[in-house]
Amino acid sequence: MRYIKALGNYFYLSTDDGFVRVSEDGKVEPLLADQIVTAVFPPEGSMYAITWNGPQLSTSLYKSATGSSWEQLANLRSETKMLSYYPVNDTLLLASYNSQLFKIDMGQDMVFRELDNTGLEGHYISSVAKVSDRVYVGTLSGLFTKEVEHLLTYKEEGE
């Protein structure tokens, strides 16, 4: 098993043989036979998946409204499969890599904007969660917090 995520009444699993979902009663439904999923996240009422196709050496973005049928939206840069994704609420999706934070805008493609990570430099991000009006960033060395209204400060180009 390479990936597992519980969403709604299903588990979504990825193995070397592809991507499947498992119902509460144990029924296994094949979804994408030729893709290894590295992330699934549900912003804005849909489900998205980042996939890796080894034989084609490609990374892709898939979308599903129901979780049972998936359509490929875009080919992505291979680095996107290395990010950890955090749906903060229905409209805000963040991602991290080491100590970097990114805001992601979904559409027919993914648009990444790096956020100001002052104070997080050198602290490996392991989780992000929103509680009330604060966002908490868990790292291997401690817990950091920021008010939601100050979270979306973008890093300037060249920083």
Side-chain angles (χ1 to χ4, degrees):
M1 186 177 324
R2 291 188 175 250
Y3 182 83
I4 184 169
K5 178 82 169 193
L7 289 172
N9 296 330
Y10 295 93
F11 284 104
Y12 292 85
L13 306 169
S14 187
T15 68
D16 288 342
D17 295 324
F19 183 48
V20 300
R21 81 175 181 175
V22 181
S23 67
E24 291 176 309
D25 61 2
K27 180 182 171 196
V28 177
E29 179 183 354
L31 300 174
L32 299 169
D34 61 345
Q35 302 293 318
I36 295 172
V37 171
T38 60
V40 175
F41 39 87
E44 301 175 10
S46 294
M47 295 174 59
Y48 294 87
I50 306 293
T51 69
W52 166 250
N53 183 309
Q56 294 182 7
L57 299 175
S58 65
T59 302
S60 300
L61 175 65
Y62 281 80
K63 181 179 180 179
S64 176
T66 64
S68 62
S69 62
W70 292 78
E71 69 172 304
Q72 184 178 2
L73 291 181
N75 289 316
L76 301 173
R77 294 176 39 189
S78 63
E79 294 86 0
T80 56
K81 72 179 181 299
M82 297 172 61
L83 298 173
S84 296
Y85 296 89
Y86 309 99
V88 175
N89 59 32
D90 286 341
T91 60
L92 179 59
L93 177 64
L94 299 180
S96 70
Y97 179 75
N98 291 331
S99 63
Q100 295 172 283
L101 270 175
F102 303 89
K103 179 183 182 285
I104 301 173
D105 293 315
M106 300 302 298
Q108 292 295 54
D109 203 348
M110 297 175 76
V111 178
F112 295 83
R113 293 201 55 201
E114 188 172 0
L115 298 174
D116 178 21
N117 67 339
T118 301
L120 289 171
E121 303 93 337
H123 299 278
Y124 180 86
I125 297 170
S126 57
S127 61
V128 177
K130 180 181 175 285
V131 178
S132 296
D133 62 344
R134 300 194 72 77
V135 172
Y136 293 85
V137 178
T139 72
L140 297 182
S141 53
L143 185 65
F144 296 80
T145 183
K146 203 174 215 184
E147 291 182 22
V148 172
E149 61 197 41
H150 299 295
L151 176 69
L152 299 179
T153 303
Y154 297 104
K155 200 169 216 180
E156 297 296 323
E157 292 291 322
E159 281 188 59

